Amino acid sequence: MTQNTRTADSTSTATSTATFSGASAAPLRVAVIIGSNREGRFGPIVADWLLARIGERADFEVDVIDLADSHLPTALSYNPSPETLAELGKVTPKLAAADAFVVLTPEYNHSYPASLKSLIDWHNAEWQAKPLAFVSYGGLSGGLRAVEHLRPVFAELHTMTIRDTVSFHNAGGLFADDGTHKDPTAANAAAKSMLDQLHWWAWALRSAKEARPYGN
């Protein structure tokens, strides 16, 4: 009886390993969300730095969702107007296709932008059982208070947030006029660590969902 149990366990492990190995072959898609749409925002400078870091890697394919290019209403609806459906069409397919997310957020009045909350609230299943990392920027706090407000919001949506973040404190003084980081060594190392973790979770969760749909 013991021998039969071991054989069954071995078969189960082999099947699981085969499933996970197959999942690892496809590239992972990450959606980078630029969370601010404010006039004169600093976000694109930080986004360019972040996208350059991701571009150095061969393990991610990138979609960019810039909330300055979409105009989702703050009034939610179960029956969106054609105009709202058009705006959703700019962002929903990218969220749905993503295996992982990076949210780039500033800090406004100790929290995150309304544009980002609107994007979050218009979606549900698109966020579920996927990992999400944060890059923040601001003054003394580096946007970290916005990040801490976002974590419980995404937890409600069954999104796995990565512990390590990249934050830019007094961000305006860190970048040159041409948008390059003046002293990027520490920031680049932090980004590598965060993206490594994001990739691990994205691969693990996608593999698990292929073996067993989330919630079933």
Side-chain angles (χ1 to χ4, degrees), residues 73-123:
T74 56
L76 302 180
S77 172
Y78 290 111
N79 187 26
S81 68
E83 293 78 14
T84 299
L85 289 173
E87 295 301 318
L88 287 168
K90 298 176 183 178
V91 295
T92 303
K94 292 181 180 181
L95 295 177
D99 298 300
F101 308 102
V102 181
V103 168
L104 195 158
T105 183
E107 182 178 312
Y108 296 162
N109 300 317
H110 284 222
S111 196
Y112 54 92
S115 53
L116 188 51
K117 188 62 162 68
S118 184
L119 175 74
I120 294 168
D121 289 349
W122 272 105
H123 298 89

Side-chain angles (χ1 to χ4, degrees), residues 2-46:
T2 301
Q3 181 62 40
N4 289 342
T5 301
R6 288 176 178 171
T7 301
D9 288 347
S10 176
T11 302
S12 176
T13 300
T15 301
S16 177
T17 301
T19 300
F20 276 33
S21 297
S24 67
L28 292 162
R29 183 166 293 278
V30 58
V32 173
I33 300 166
I34 305 174
S36 173
N37 61 359
R38 187 169 72 174
E39 183 180 353
R41 63 195 177 137
F42 194 74
I45 293 174
V46 181

